[in-house]
Amino acid sequence: MAWLILAGAIIAEVVATTALKLSEGFTHKGWALVVVAGYAAAFVLLAQALKMQMEMGTAYAVWAGAGTAAIAAIGVLFLGESLTLAKVAGIVLIIGGVLVLNLAGGAH
């Protein structure tokens, strides 16, 4: 169950970060509200996952890594951002780090 809650935290954070770009510096009030609500939901859900005895390092690594990879993909696919070899390498390294943490026994 902790992993499902963490997945919800990741989705909320990705929605909030995407809305942050779309809010254009908080000048679009609707998107600004999505930013605030999304980040609030992300932190509440992350806290709930941690409360369920998920290790903090693993939870944060998965949350940050998955969120970073998702935001990079959204930027490339929908916001016209470039995809460079350096970006791909960075995402691969992030995912690799998360895998190492999980294989090292950091997940319950």
Side-chain angles (χ1 to χ4, degrees):
M1 183 57 108
W3 286 101
L4 290 174
I5 293 171
L6 183 60
I10 293 165
I11 291 167
E13 188 267 336
V14 168
V15 167
T17 302
T18 303
L20 187 61
K21 171 73 172 175
L22 297 173
S23 77
E24 296 185 16
F26 281 87
T27 58
H28 290 86
K29 302 278 190 253
W31 287 118
L33 290 173
V34 173
V35 171
V36 173
Y39 281 129
F43 284 110
V44 167
L45 290 168
L46 179 60
Q48 290 303 309
L50 292 173
K51 186 177 174 181
M52 300 177 114
Q53 304 305 315
M54 180 174 273
E55 288 191 10
M56 183 172 52
T58 299
Y60 190 75
V62 171
W63 182 63
T68 300
I71 287 299
I74 288 168
V76 169
L77 294 172
F78 302 109
L79 301 175
E81 296 180 0
S82 64
L83 181 62
T84 64
L85 184 57
K87 284 184 183 180
V88 171
I91 291 168
V92 168
L93 288 170
I94 290 168
I95 292 169
V98 170
L99 289 173
V100 169
L101 279 173
N102 284 308
L103 292 173
H108 282 275

